[in-house]
Amino acid sequence: MFVWIILIPILVQYTLTSVVPMLISFFLTFTDWNLVGTWNFVGLDNWKRLFSDWAVWDSLKVSVIYALYSVIPTVVIGLLLALAVNTRKKGTAFFKSAWFFPVITSVVVVASIWKWMFTAEADGIINQVLGIFGIEPQFFFGTRLALITVALLGIYQSVGTAMVYYYAGLKGIDTNLHEAAKVDGCTGAQVFFHITLPLLRPTMAYVLITLTSGALKVFDSVYTLYNQTGGPQNAANTLVMHVYRTGFFNMQMGYASTIAYLLFVIIMIISVIQYRVTNRDVE
C-alpha cells in the first residue's frame, strides 16, 4: 500500500503528460481540427488521405534514409569506443566524459555550431580542412549533402550514448569467460565474435531500438539547420518535420495527428523486429 502511495504522484504526472495527450491525439485523427476553430468529425477521411499522400511517404523515405545514415555508424563507432575505453588502464573517466559531453549538450547549440562549421563559404572550418587536401569547397546544405550533414550531427550527438551502454554491457561480462577462452588458445578475434559480441546482444538490442526510434523522430536538428523548410527541395524533410509543417503551418492538426500515429506504428514494428533479431538467447 505504501508503494502505491509513493507512485501516485508519478502515475498522475505520467497520465496527464503522456496518456491523456496520446488519447487526445488519437481522437484528433478522426477530426478536421485546425487549431483555432471548432472541429468536425470526419471519420476515416484522414487515414484514407494518408495512404494516397505522396508527400507523407517521401518524408518517411527521408526519415528511413537518415536512420540508416546515422544509426549504423553510431552502433559500430560506439562499440569500438567502448572496447577502447574498456581496455584502457588510465584516463577512462576522461575519455568517457569527453565522448559523452555532446549528449548532454543542447541539440540547438550543437546544431548552431554545426551550421557555422559547415558553412558553404570557403572560410568555413570544414571547407578549410578540405582545402588542405586540395578539395574544392562543398555546399553541405545543398540538396545532395543536406541529409548527410544532419546525419553527421546525429552521429556526433548519439555515439556517446551508445558507448556508455556498450561499456556497461562489457563490464557485465564475466572476465573468467575471456580468460578461459585464451587458455584454450582462442585469438582476440575469436573471443570477441564468439563470447563478447553474443553476450552483448541484449545491450545491442536496446541501443538499436533507442537509436532507431530517436532517428525516426529527428526534428530539432533539422529545424535548427533548415528552419521550417525541410532543407532545399525537401531533402531533409523528415516525417516529424512534415507533421510539424502540416499541423502548425497548414493548420491541419487532425491530419498531422494521423501522420504522427503512422510514425508511432512504424517505430513499434521496427522495435519488435530489432528486439527479436538481436536479443536471442545465448547458448
Side-chain angles (χ1 to χ4, degrees), residues 83-110:
L83 290 170
V85 172
N86 191 49
T87 55
R88 288 186 62 90
K89 301 299 182 181
K90 297 181 179 180
T92 301
F94 170 77
F95 284 101
K96 284 192 296 183
S97 301
W99 283 106
F100 195 75
F101 181 75
V103 179
I104 61 176
T105 306
S106 169
V107 177
V108 176
V109 173
V110 176

Side-chain angles (χ1 to χ4, degrees), residues 204-225:
M204 185 173 293
Y206 182 79
V207 171
L208 276 172
I209 292 172
T210 303
L211 292 178
T212 303
S213 175
L216 292 176
K217 295 184 296 183
V218 65
F219 170 77
D220 38 14
S221 58
V222 176
Y223 185 89
T224 304
L225 291 175

Side-chain angles (χ1 to χ4, degrees), residues 46-87:
N46 286 329
W47 292 96
K48 293 177 182 178
R49 175 186 172 187
L50 176 69
F51 291 103
S52 60
D53 187 353
W54 284 106
V56 172
W57 301 106
D58 286 341
S59 60
L60 176 60
K61 178 182 175 181
V62 172
S63 294
V64 172
I65 294 175
Y66 169 81
L68 293 175
Y69 282 167
S70 62
V71 172
I72 295 176
T74 302
V75 169
V76 175
I77 297 173
L79 179 57
L80 294 177
L81 289 175
L83 290 170
V85 172
N86 191 49
T87 55

Side-chain angles (χ1 to χ4, degrees), residues 96-262:
K96 284 192 296 183
S97 301
W99 283 106
F100 195 75
F101 181 75
V103 179
I104 61 176
T105 306
S106 169
V107 177
V108 176
V109 173
V110 176
S112 299
I113 297 174
W114 215 254
K115 194 172 184 178
W116 169 69
M117 291 175 57
F118 283 86
T119 183
E121 285 75 14
D123 58 350
I125 293 178
I126 302 301
N127 276 324
Q128 285 185 8
V129 174
L130 293 178
I132 296 175
F133 299 96
I135 302 176
E136 295 182 357
Q138 301 293 312
F139 185 41
F140 291 99
F141 300 109
T143 305
R144 184 171 61 92
L145 298 176
L147 194 59
I148 295 178
T149 303
V150 182
L152 290 174
L153 173 58
I155 295 170
Y156 175 72
Q157 278 224 291
S158 301
V159 72
T161 301
M163 179 200 67
V164 170
Y165 286 138
Y166 281 128
Y167 181 76
L170 289 170
K171 288 300 181 183
I173 297 176
D174 190 353
T175 56
N176 291 329
L177 295 174
H178 291 163
E179 293 174 359
K182 292 178 180 178
V183 170
D184 291 338
C186 295
T187 63
Q190 290 174 327
V191 171
F192 174 75
F193 285 106
H194 295 286
I195 297 178
T196 305
L197 198 58
L199 292 175
L200 281 177
R201 280 179 181 172
T203 304
M204 185 173 293
Y206 182 79
V207 171
L208 276 172
I209 292 172
T210 303
L211 292 178
T212 303
S213 175
L216 292 176
K217 295 184 296 183
V218 65
F219 170 77
D220 38 14
S221 58
V222 176
Y223 185 89
T224 304
L225 291 175
Y226 303 107
N227 297 321
Q228 69 272 11
T229 63
Q233 299 182 11
N234 291 327
N237 186 39
T238 61
L239 193 57
V240 177
M241 174 60 75
H242 188 68
V243 170
Y244 172 77
R245 295 168 68 181
T246 301
F248 292 98
F249 282 86
N250 299 337
M251 307 292 283
Q252 300 174 6
M253 188 57 68
Y255 185 51
S257 298
T258 307
I259 303 173
Y261 262 89
L262 170 67

